[in-house]
Amino acid sequence: MGDKDILSKSIFKALVRDFATYLFHLPVVEVELLETAQQRVEERRADLVAKVALADGLPFILHIEIQNDNLAVMPVRMLRYLTDILLENPGLPVRQYLVYIGKKPLGMADGLNLPGLTYHYELIDMYRVDAESLLRQDAPDAWVLAILCDFRGRTPRELVHGILERLVREFWGQPGKLREYVRMLEILGSNRDFEVDIEEELEMLKIEYEKLPTYRMGLKKGELIGVEKGVAQEKIAVAKNLLAMGLDDLQIASATELQVADIARLRENRLE
């Protein structure tokens, strides 16, 4: 996958978990990324390799390879990755998945059948996966993976715009989280052969949302909530001082306009 050497480990861990959950249907609960660079005549680095654990099983190594071309030598390459992973992680079983996202019909084998050697891995053709099946999930991670699927008549820009619109709605006010999901979308989108500027689409969406009356109302509501919270904190501070002076709950409630029950909780140190 493009630019992977400069990406954060948290993004790759999220991608491993998302692939396992929504495409491979593996209930992964733990993910530990592994380094797999091998010094050869030409350096080869597997796309995603992680030590994972399922909710009801022993840990194993999960290897995910994303491929957008039909390569006749891919089974041999996958076997080479397998031997490297086994040598580096003795005693742990390995599950390999080759995810094909190319435009041409899938034409690669899912393993090797040679004299004295039978070897297979899971091969997933993303053009058999409807993007809508992931977009229907109530999970932003699934929406992002939809960019690898069959668009079913949508243009790339329509699909990307739709995914971004949902992410902006979901994470408005959480710029760090939004940025993480947009970065994941960029990574996966870089493996698809289309010209859509994801950053540009995102900026356009942000401008559109800032113009909406509901957004401006949300800002005003947030300001009001902030004021109300500040007033409440002041009342609590006053109540604490009055408690220290020895006033009873009714007297403090009358002075601060707090509820008697709130004063009782303050007295028991259960209200901050």
Side-chain angles (χ1 to χ4, degrees):
M1 294 188 293
D3 299 329
K4 70 178 186 177
D5 290 330
I6 61 174
L7 300 172
S8 71
K9 288 186 176 181
S10 64
I11 290 180
F12 275 118
K13 288 179 71 172
L15 285 172
V16 169
R17 184 176 289 108
D18 295 345
F19 272 98
T21 301
Y22 299 107
L23 295 181
F24 312 151
H25 307 294
L26 298 174
V28 168
V29 294
E30 293 181 18
V31 175
E32 176 189 348
L33 292 178
L34 301 178
E35 180 57 58
T36 63
Q38 299 298 320
Q39 297 300 322
R40 301 179 182 274
V41 175
E42 81 282 16
E43 183 177 294
R44 288 292 181 185
R45 188 189 296 266
D47 273 347
L48 291 170
V49 180
K51 180 181 177 181
V52 304
L54 303 182
D56 56 354
L58 296 174
F60 62 92
I61 305 300
L62 178 61
H63 168 214
I64 304 168
E65 201 71 16
I66 300 176
Q67 184 65 30
N68 54 17
D69 293 312
N70 282 302
L71 293 183
V73 299
M74 202 63 209
V76 177
R77 185 180 293 180
M78 291 291 286
L79 179 59
R80 186 168 72 172
Y81 288 144
L82 176 63
T83 58
D84 290 341
I85 293 169
L86 287 172
L87 285 170
E88 292 176 358
N89 302 276
L92 283 176
V94 179
R95 299 189 191 185
Q96 291 181 290
Y97 290 82
L98 177 58
V99 179
Y100 177 66
I101 60 173
K103 286 184 175 181
K104 296 180 179 179
L106 174 62
M108 289 184 290
D110 63 353
L112 295 168
N113 286 298
L114 304 173
L117 172 65
T118 300
Y119 161 66
H120 292 285
Y121 48 83
E122 296 289 333
L123 179 56
I124 296 178
D125 184 357
M126 292 303 290
Y127 275 82
R128 293 183 177 272
V129 180
D130 184 357
E132 192 60 36
S133 65
L134 291 174
L135 294 174
R136 282 196 297 267
Q137 300 278 345
D138 186 21
D141 301 78
W143 308 339
V144 170
L145 284 182
I147 199 172
L148 295 178
C149 299
D150 183 359
F151 296 174
R152 299 290 169 92
R154 300 184 189 184
T155 66
R157 183 174 184 182
E158 287 173 340
L159 184 74
V160 168
H161 191 88
I163 294 171
L164 285 173
E165 188 172 25
R166 298 178 75 172
L167 290 174
V168 168
R169 284 203 306 265
E170 182 76 14
F171 297 113
W172 193 263
Q174 303 177 61
K177 201 71 174 174
L178 177 60
R179 172 57 49 203
E180 182 174 315
Y181 277 96
V182 170
R183 192 69 183 106
M184 289 168 64
L185 193 66
E186 288 177 326
I187 297 165
L188 298 177
S190 69
N191 291 273
R192 298 300 299 265
D193 187 18
F194 58 68
E195 296 182 1
V196 178
D197 190 325
I198 292 177
E199 282 289 335
E200 185 177 298
E201 291 291 324
L202 177 63
E203 289 305 315
M204 288 175 61
L205 267 172
K206 286 181 178 179
I207 293 171
E208 290 173 9
Y209 267 77
E210 288 169 355
K211 291 180 179 179
L212 290 175
T214 51
Y215 169 76
R216 293 197 295 270
M217 288 172 62
L219 284 181
K220 292 177 181 178
K221 182 179 179 181
E223 292 168 359
L224 288 173
I225 290 172
V227 171
E228 291 171 359
K229 186 175 181 180
V231 171
Q233 288 174 339
E234 288 181 7
K235 289 181 178 180
I236 289 172
V238 172
K240 287 180 178 179
N241 290 332
L242 295 177
L243 279 170
M245 294 170 61
L247 275 68
D248 63 35
D249 293 359
L250 285 174
Q251 289 173 317
I252 296 173
S254 176
T256 61
E257 297 182 352
L258 289 172
Q259 298 295 317
V260 173
D262 293 334
I263 307 302
R265 287 197 294 273
L266 265 178
R267 192 179 291 281
E268 296 174 8
N269 295 319
R270 289 190 291 116
L271 181 65
E272 297 297 334

